[in-house]
Amino acid sequence: QLQLVESGGGLVQAGGSLRLFCAASGRTFRSYAMGWFRQAPGKEREFVAAISWSGANTLYADSVKGRFTISTDNAKNTLYLQMNSLKPEDTAVYYCAARTTYYVDSYYMDSPQYNYWGQGTQVTVSS
């Protein structure tokens, strides 16, 4: 069983940067694929970025590619999302997610594919 706790959200001006953290705890004795999703008011949850347990493979939504970077520190059981050149349209609740996987190079972009979710952290980008 895995528990995810997010931090690092807040208020930032357009063009600024923010770094999100997701700490994993519990039964961390298996391989996990990790991802970030976000949900704005009145909108459905959308995929942001994903990374394989090995770290060899990453995937980004077109809307954030080139601005956001997903990374992991497996030794610290921590997932990161570095967000640069933030735009007002990036405003949303950001969720980290994980799923158990046997394949260390696998990654996923659909919400139903994930087993565990964090509580979400608010990111607000002002004009």
Side-chain angles (χ1 to χ4, degrees):
Q1 189 173 5
L2 191 68
Q3 184 177 9
L4 305 177
V5 179
E6 297 152 316
S7 62
L11 176 65
V12 65
Q13 292 184 341
S17 298
L18 206 60
R19 187 172 177 86
L20 303 183
F21 305 82
C22 180
S25 62
R27 295 178 60 186
T28 57
F29 307 112
R30 292 178 173 85
S31 300
Y32 299 95
M34 307 291 292
W36 287 98
F37 293 78
R38 67 186 183 186
Q39 187 169 21
K43 306 287 287 186
E44 293 187 353
R45 184 174 298 181
E46 66 174 347
F47 169 77
V48 175
I51 188 169
S52 62
W53 185 83
S54 67
N57 297 312
T58 57
L59 181 68
Y60 297 92
D62 289 341
S63 59
V64 306
K65 190 173 183 179
R67 299 187 297 120
F68 291 10
T69 302
I70 187 172
S71 61
T72 59
D73 187 336
N74 290 346
K76 297 180 179 179
N77 295 319
T78 303
L79 173 72
Y80 306 92
L81 184 66
Q82 178 66 46
M83 304 184 293
N84 298 325
S85 301
L86 283 164
K87 306 174 182 179
E89 49 263 44
D90 294 319
T91 296
V93 177
Y94 283 71
Y95 299 89
C96 65
R99 68 161 285 157
T100 56
T101 180
Y102 178 80
Y103 305 99
V104 298
D105 293 323
S106 297
Y107 54 92
Y108 309 89
M109 63 180 293
D110 296 319
S111 296
Q113 295 178 294
Y114 287 87
N115 306 113
Y116 305 98
W117 292 85
Q119 79 287 353
T121 184
Q122 177 70 48
V123 172
T124 303
V125 184
S126 62
S127 301

